[in-house]
Amino acid sequence: MLIARVIGDLVATQKHDSHHGRKALIVQPLNLDGSDRGDAVVALDSVDAGIGDRVLLVTEGYSAMTSVGRPESPIDMAVIGVIDRIDLG
Amino acid sequence: MLIARVIGDLVATQKHDSHHGRKALIVQPLNLDGSDRGDAVVALDSVDAGIGDRVLLVTEGYSAMTSVGRPESPIDMAVIGVIDRIDLG
Amino acid sequence: MLIARVIGDLVATQKHDSHHGRKALIVQPLNLDGSDRGDAVVALDSVDAGIGDRVLLVTEGYSAMTSVGRPESPIDMAVIGVIDRIDLG
Amino acid sequence: MLIARVIGDLVATQKHDSHHGRKALIVQPLNLDGSDRGDAVVALDSVDAGIGDRVLLVTEGYSAMTSVGRPESPIDMAVIGVIDRIDLG
Amino acid sequence: MLIARVIGDLVATQKHDSHHGRKALIVQPLNLDGSDRGDAVVALDSVDAGIGDRVLLVTEGYSAMTSVGRPESPIDMAVIGVIDRIDLG
């Protein structure tokens, strides 16, 4: 998983309403020091994350689909948690 | 998912007509500022997208196959939505 | 999928003859302008492609295995079509 | 798999407590010479690894989910072993 | 698949002995000209490959797990063949 920050959302028209009203979030992956890690990506929300939240992002299809209900959701990235705390040893 | 723009299409001869007459689109992934994100890729269409449309692109096999009918479509990228609106917080 | 050119083939000894006599092709991924896109990779053939053919390449395991018969073929890349025509809008 | 070092952990709030109390570890992938390989990532622990341990990291969803109990754990990276010895021929 | 050379092996302690006594090999991916392609990775052996062998490497979880017995082996890379011959057209 990657650490990311929610920076926006997106509305798209689909043939099959497979995303079930879940929000498509625009999230910016982050390095540990908080700097940007590449460019932003689009991930389906599974935790009611909001703009500015620091979240946990899965970037693989099978696991992303599992997080939001696999059979009808053809997605490859999902927000699976809102990060409360990071501890570096 | 990535944001991308449809810039062309492609015709290929396959052994098994697994793509069911769906179009193989050439799509250019985009950064949030609209600039190119790497080079173009080929994705199967699941939403009747046309040249110039800004679309939502899945880039993983299992989810791409789900979007267009999995068992007979050996694909790893699919266009799953036409983007209507992007809101940055 | 990526556009690629077949530039050779490869013979390997396996424990289980899982590739069913299909050819392991060496293919060079290409950018849209025909220039090389990274270095060559090895992909199982599912369309009787030959040296010099411009082909469609899947680069994900689940979809590659689907294209050639999944259960016994542990592969992660396959040539799934010979490209006849590319149209840029 | 990649060689990595555990450098911290992370607590996140999820809708479904799918990670079963397993720790989300922050791990730094390493090159063979011990230098950093890109930036740190977040992986679910399946071996009770601790800070400073050199571990084996899977970075793909299906295999990561298998290592910790697939159906309810939407993860794409997992720590699957603590490395005891590396032998270079 | 990638062409790679076996350069070592690795012993790790796991919770579940899911790798079935198979060797975890350290393999260096290669470009076609024999030069290094990024840094070395760890792959489970399915063909009794030895140090110095030039091998065929799968780098995706589902196919890697298939090559060595899927259900109990949470791996994302496997050595699936020893290369006998490469022919460039």
mmCIF file of all heavy atoms in Angstrom, chain B residues 35-66:
data_model
loop_
_atom_site.group_PDB
_atom_site.id
_atom_site.type_symbol
_atom_site.label_atom_id
_atom_site.label_comp_id
_atom_site.label_asym_id
_atom_site.label_seq_id
_atom_site.Cartn_x
_atom_site.Cartn_y
_atom_site.Cartn_z
ATOM 1 N N SER B 35 -0.919 17.332 -19.105
ATOM 2 C CA SER B 35 0.271 16.945 -19.880
ATOM 3 C C SER B 35 0.340 15.417 -20.000
ATOM 4 O O SER B 35 -0.290 14.695 -19.228
ATOM 5 C CB SER B 35 1.538 17.477 -19.199
ATOM 6 O OG SER B 35 1.662 16.934 -17.896
ATOM 7 N N ASP B 36 1.091 14.938 -20.993
ATOM 8 C CA ASP B 36 1.223 13.496 -21.210
ATOM 9 C C ASP B 36 1.916 12.816 -20.022
ATOM 10 O O ASP B 36 2.866 13.348 -19.452
ATOM 11 C CB ASP B 36 2.056 13.203 -22.474
ATOM 12 C CG ASP B 36 1.281 13.532 -23.742
ATOM 13 O OD1 ASP B 36 0.095 13.914 -23.650
ATOM 14 O OD2 ASP B 36 1.875 13.412 -24.831
ATOM 15 N N ARG B 37 1.433 11.620 -19.699
ATOM 16 C CA ARG B 37 2.003 10.802 -18.617
ATOM 17 C C ARG B 37 2.548 9.548 -19.294
ATOM 18 O O ARG B 37 1.805 8.588 -19.515
ATOM 19 C CB ARG B 37 0.857 10.466 -17.660
ATOM 20 C CG ARG B 37 1.245 9.672 -16.450
ATOM 21 C CD ARG B 37 0.023 9.457 -15.559
ATOM 22 N NE ARG B 37 0.385 8.930 -14.274
ATOM 23 C CZ ARG B 37 -0.193 9.237 -13.117
ATOM 24 N NH1 ARG B 37 -1.193 10.075 -13.094
ATOM 25 N NH2 ARG B 37 0.213 8.695 -11.989
ATOM 26 N N GLY B 38 3.791 9.543 -19.646
ATOM 27 C CA GLY B 38 4.359 8.429 -20.411
ATOM 28 C C GLY B 38 3.768 8.382 -21.805
ATOM 29 O O GLY B 38 3.152 9.345 -22.266
ATOM 30 N N ASP B 39 3.953 7.259 -22.492
ATOM 31 C CA ASP B 39 3.468 7.123 -23.851
ATOM 32 C C ASP B 39 2.089 6.468 -23.871
ATOM 33 O O ASP B 39 1.609 5.963 -22.854
ATOM 34 C CB ASP B 39 4.453 6.287 -24.678
ATOM 35 C CG ASP B 39 4.360 6.604 -26.177
ATOM 36 O OD1 ASP B 39 4.743 7.724 -26.572
ATOM 37 O OD2 ASP B 39 3.880 5.754 -26.947
ATOM 38 N N ALA B 40 1.457 6.488 -25.040
ATOM 39 C CA ALA B 40 0.108 5.925 -25.204
ATOM 40 C C ALA B 40 0.109 4.418 -24.999
ATOM 41 O O ALA B 40 1.133 3.746 -25.161
ATOM 42 C CB ALA B 40 -0.422 6.264 -26.583
ATOM 43 N N VAL B 41 -1.058 3.871 -24.621
ATOM 44 C CA VAL B 41 -1.262 2.427 -24.468
ATOM 45 C C VAL B 41 -2.539 2.040 -25.211
ATOM 46 O O VAL B 41 -3.273 2.893 -25.693
ATOM 47 C CB VAL B 41 -1.378 2.045 -22.976
ATOM 48 C CG1 VAL B 41 -0.079 2.305 -22.235
ATOM 49 C CG2 VAL B 41 -2.544 2.780 -22.311
ATOM 50 N N VAL B 42 -2.795 0.726 -25.296
ATOM 51 C CA VAL B 42 -3.981 0.227 -25.979
ATOM 52 C C VAL B 42 -4.937 -0.357 -24.941
ATOM 53 O O VAL B 42 -4.538 -1.177 -24.112
ATOM 54 C CB VAL B 42 -3.599 -0.857 -27.014
ATOM 55 C CG1 VAL B 42 -4.850 -1.353 -27.746
ATOM 56 C CG2 VAL B 42 -2.568 -0.321 -28.003
ATOM 57 N N ALA B 43 -6.193 0.085 -24.966
ATOM 58 C CA ALA B 43 -7.183 -0.364 -23.973
ATOM 59 C C ALA B 43 -8.477 -0.719 -24.675
ATOM 60 O O ALA B 43 -8.869 -0.068 -25.639
ATOM 61 C CB ALA B 43 -7.438 0.742 -22.954
ATOM 62 N N LEU B 44 -9.148 -1.761 -24.196
ATOM 63 C CA LEU B 44 -10.429 -2.132 -24.767
ATOM 64 C C LEU B 44 -11.505 -1.173 -24.260
ATOM 65 O O LEU B 44 -11.501 -0.765 -23.108
ATOM 66 C CB LEU B 44 -10.788 -3.575 -24.383
ATOM 67 C CG LEU B 44 -11.495 -4.344 -25.514
ATOM 68 C CD1 LEU B 44 -10.577 -4.480 -26.724
ATOM 69 C CD2 LEU B 44 -11.925 -5.719 -25.058
ATOM 70 N N ASP B 45 -12.424 -0.822 -25.151
ATOM 71 C CA ASP B 45 -13.478 0.130 -24.828
ATOM 72 C C ASP B 45 -14.658 -0.597 -24.173
ATOM 73 O O ASP B 45 -15.079 -1.645 -24.641
ATOM 74 C CB ASP B 45 -13.957 0.800 -26.114
ATOM 75 C CG ASP B 45 -15.016 1.851 -25.854
ATOM 76 O OD1 ASP B 45 -15.027 2.410 -24.751
ATOM 77 O OD2 ASP B 45 -15.826 2.105 -26.760
ATOM 78 N N SER B 46 -15.187 -0.040 -23.082
ATOM 79 C CA SER B 46 -16.413 -0.626 -22.522
ATOM 80 C C SER B 46 -17.519 0.425 -22.423
ATOM 81 O O SER B 46 -18.567 0.164 -21.837
ATOM 82 C CB SER B 46 -16.141 -1.251 -21.148
ATOM 83 O OG SER B 46 -16.005 -0.255 -20.167
ATOM 84 N N VAL B 47 -17.290 1.620 -22.964
ATOM 85 C CA VAL B 47 -18.271 2.715 -22.806
ATOM 86 C C VAL B 47 -18.548 3.499 -24.078
ATOM 87 O O VAL B 47 -19.089 4.608 -24.005
ATOM 88 C CB VAL B 47 -17.805 3.718 -21.724
ATOM 89 C CG1 VAL B 47 -17.871 3.087 -20.362
ATOM 90 C CG2 VAL B 47 -16.406 4.230 -22.002
ATOM 91 N N ASP B 48 -18.207 2.968 -25.252
ATOM 92 C CA ASP B 48 -18.392 3.699 -26.510
ATOM 93 C C ASP B 48 -17.738 5.071 -26.485
ATOM 94 O O ASP B 48 -18.337 6.076 -26.860
ATOM 95 C CB ASP B 48 -19.888 3.854 -26.836
ATOM 96 C CG ASP B 48 -20.559 2.520 -27.103
ATOM 97 O OD1 ASP B 48 -19.886 1.630 -27.657
ATOM 98 O OD2 ASP B 48 -21.738 2.363 -26.761
ATOM 99 N N ALA B 49 -16.498 5.115 -26.029
ATOM 100 C CA ALA B 49 -15.748 6.373 -26.010
ATOM 101 C C ALA B 49 -15.293 6.716 -27.424
ATOM 102 O O ALA B 49 -15.082 5.832 -28.257
ATOM 103 C CB ALA B 49 -14.547 6.233 -25.086
ATOM 104 N N GLY B 50 -15.161 8.016 -27.690
ATOM 105 C CA GLY B 50 -14.725 8.454 -29.020
ATOM 106 C C GLY B 50 -13.442 9.263 -28.944
ATOM 107 O O GLY B 50 -12.994 9.650 -27.855
ATOM 108 N N ILE B 51 -12.861 9.493 -30.102
ATOM 109 C CA ILE B 51 -11.621 10.276 -30.186
ATOM 110 C C ILE B 51 -11.813 11.614 -29.468
ATOM 111 O O ILE B 51 -12.808 12.293 -29.659
ATOM 112 C CB ILE B 51 -11.266 10.559 -31.670
ATOM 113 C CG1 ILE B 51 -11.166 9.259 -32.472
ATOM 114 C CG2 ILE B 51 -10.000 11.383 -31.787
ATOM 115 C CD1 ILE B 51 -9.907 8.492 -32.245
ATOM 116 N N GLY B 52 -10.859 11.969 -28.632
ATOM 117 C CA GLY B 52 -10.899 13.238 -27.933
ATOM 118 C C GLY B 52 -11.521 13.157 -26.551
ATOM 119 O O GLY B 52 -11.314 14.058 -25.736
ATOM 120 N N ASP B 53 -12.274 12.096 -26.269
ATOM 121 C CA ASP B 53 -12.891 11.956 -24.941
ATOM 122 C C ASP B 53 -11.820 11.800 -23.866
ATOM 123 O O ASP B 53 -10.798 11.142 -24.064
ATOM 124 C CB ASP B 53 -13.803 10.717 -24.888
ATOM 125 C CG ASP B 53 -15.145 10.955 -25.564
ATOM 126 O OD1 ASP B 53 -15.459 12.108 -25.909
ATOM 127 O OD2 ASP B 53 -15.879 9.962 -25.781
ATOM 128 N N ARG B 54 -12.114 12.400 -22.717
ATOM 129 C CA ARG B 54 -11.259 12.213 -21.550
ATOM 130 C C ARG B 54 -11.884 11.073 -20.745
ATOM 131 O O ARG B 54 -13.060 11.155 -20.376
ATOM 132 C CB ARG B 54 -11.223 13.504 -20.728
ATOM 133 C CG ARG B 54 -10.072 13.588 -19.763
ATOM 134 C CD ARG B 54 -9.941 14.975 -19.184
ATOM 135 N NE ARG B 54 -11.239 15.468 -18.682
ATOM 136 C CZ ARG B 54 -11.371 16.490 -17.834
ATOM 137 N NH1 ARG B 54 -10.309 17.153 -17.414
ATOM 138 N NH2 ARG B 54 -12.565 16.890 -17.429
ATOM 139 N N VAL B 55 -11.116 10.027 -20.503
ATOM 140 C CA VAL B 55 -11.693 8.794 -19.965
ATOM 141 C C VAL B 55 -10.967 8.296 -18.722
ATOM 142 O O VAL B 55 -9.872 8.765 -18.396
ATOM 143 C CB VAL B 55 -11.672 7.671 -21.039
ATOM 144 C CG1 VAL B 55 -12.575 8.029 -22.220
ATOM 145 C CG2 VAL B 55 -10.247 7.381 -21.499
ATOM 146 N N LEU B 56 -11.625 7.336 -18.057
ATOM 147 C CA LEU B 56 -11.064 6.670 -16.887
ATOM 148 C C LEU B 56 -10.513 5.328 -17.368
ATOM 149 O O LEU B 56 -11.225 4.548 -18.003
ATOM 150 C CB LEU B 56 -12.191 6.458 -15.870
ATOM 151 C CG LEU B 56 -11.861 6.410 -14.395
ATOM 152 C CD1 LEU B 56 -10.960 7.547 -13.973
ATOM 153 C CD2 LEU B 56 -13.168 6.462 -13.581
ATOM 154 N N LEU B 57 -9.246 5.069 -17.055
ATOM 155 C CA LEU B 57 -8.538 3.905 -17.592
ATOM 156 C C LEU B 57 -8.123 2.970 -16.459
ATOM 157 O O LEU B 57 -7.447 3.405 -15.524
ATOM 158 C CB LEU B 57 -7.282 4.417 -18.329
ATOM 159 C CG LEU B 57 -6.286 3.411 -18.880
ATOM 160 C CD1 LEU B 57 -6.884 2.688 -20.084
ATOM 161 C CD2 LEU B 57 -4.990 4.117 -19.284
ATOM 162 N N VAL B 58 -8.534 1.680 -16.523
ATOM 163 C CA VAL B 58 -7.969 0.713 -15.575
ATOM 164 C C VAL B 58 -6.798 0.027 -16.261
ATOM 165 O O VAL B 58 -6.858 -0.278 -17.453
ATOM 166 C CB VAL B 58 -8.977 -0.357 -15.074
ATOM 167 C CG1 VAL B 58 -10.041 0.246 -14.202
ATOM 168 C CG2 VAL B 58 -9.574 -1.152 -16.202
ATOM 169 N N THR B 59 -5.749 -0.229 -15.482
ATOM 170 C CA THR B 59 -4.520 -0.750 -16.084
ATOM 171 C C THR B 59 -4.106 -2.062 -15.435
ATOM 172 O O THR B 59 -2.927 -2.343 -15.288
ATOM 173 C CB THR B 59 -3.377 0.276 -15.951
ATOM 174 O OG1 THR B 59 -3.132 0.481 -14.561
ATOM 175 C CG2 THR B 59 -3.714 1.581 -16.614
ATOM 176 N N GLU B 60 -5.064 -2.865 -15.034
ATOM 177 C CA GLU B 60 -4.753 -4.155 -14.398
ATOM 178 C C GLU B 60 -5.667 -5.207 -15.000
ATOM 179 O O GLU B 60 -6.840 -4.950 -15.261
ATOM 180 C CB GLU B 60 -4.961 -4.042 -12.887
ATOM 181 C CG GLU B 60 -4.344 -5.155 -12.090
ATOM 182 C CD GLU B 60 -5.340 -6.269 -11.832
ATOM 183 O OE1 GLU B 60 -6.551 -6.043 -12.022
ATOM 184 O OE2 GLU B 60 -4.907 -7.361 -11.468
ATOM 185 N N GLY B 61 -5.124 -6.397 -15.198
ATOM 186 C CA GLY B 61 -5.832 -7.408 -15.957
ATOM 187 C C GLY B 61 -7.154 -7.865 -15.391
ATOM 188 O O GLY B 61 -8.169 -7.910 -16.083
ATOM 189 N N TYR B 62 -7.166 -8.209 -14.123
ATOM 190 C CA TYR B 62 -8.369 -8.793 -13.562
ATOM 191 C C TYR B 62 -9.533 -7.811 -13.626
ATOM 192 O O TYR B 62 -10.658 -8.167 -13.985
ATOM 193 C CB TYR B 62 -8.106 -9.233 -12.120
ATOM 194 C CG TYR B 62 -9.154 -10.139 -11.564
ATOM 195 C CD1 TYR B 62 -9.104 -11.507 -11.787
ATOM 196 C CD2 TYR B 62 -10.208 -9.627 -10.815
ATOM 197 C CE1 TYR B 62 -10.076 -12.352 -11.280
ATOM 198 C CE2 TYR B 62 -11.184 -10.462 -10.301
ATOM 199 C CZ TYR B 62 -11.114 -11.821 -10.532
ATOM 200 O OH TYR B 62 -12.083 -12.643 -10.025
ATOM 201 N N SER B 63 -9.256 -6.555 -13.302
ATOM 202 C CA SER B 63 -10.322 -5.559 -13.313
ATOM 203 C C SER B 63 -10.707 -5.181 -14.748
ATOM 204 O O SER B 63 -11.878 -4.941 -15.037
ATOM 205 C CB SER B 63 -9.920 -4.325 -12.517
ATOM 206 O OG SER B 63 -8.568 -4.008 -12.678
ATOM 207 N N ALA B 64 -9.741 -5.144 -15.658
ATOM 208 C CA ALA B 64 -10.052 -4.829 -17.056
ATOM 209 C C ALA B 64 -10.944 -5.917 -17.645
ATOM 210 O O ALA B 64 -11.921 -5.631 -18.348
ATOM 211 C CB ALA B 64 -8.764 -4.703 -17.865
ATOM 212 N N MET B 65 -10.614 -7.178 -17.359
ATOM 213 C CA MET B 65 -11.396 -8.287 -17.880
ATOM 214 C C MET B 65 -12.819 -8.260 -17.314
ATOM 215 O O MET B 65 -13.791 -8.571 -18.003
ATOM 216 C CB MET B 65 -10.706 -9.608 -17.565
ATOM 217 C CG MET B 65 -9.423 -9.780 -18.386
ATOM 218 S SD MET B 65 -8.324 -11.065 -17.725
ATOM 219 C CE MET B 65 -9.160 -12.543 -18.291
ATOM 220 N N THR B 66 -12.947 -7.864 -16.051
ATOM 221 C CA THR B 66 -14.267 -7.761 -15.429
ATOM 222 C C THR B 66 -15.136 -6.734 -16.146
ATOM 223 O O THR B 66 -16.333 -6.938 -16.340
ATOM 224 C CB THR B 66 -14.119 -7.353 -13.947
ATOM 225 O OG1 THR B 66 -13.408 -8.378 -13.271
ATOM 226 C CG2 THR B 66 -15.474 -7.149 -13.287
#
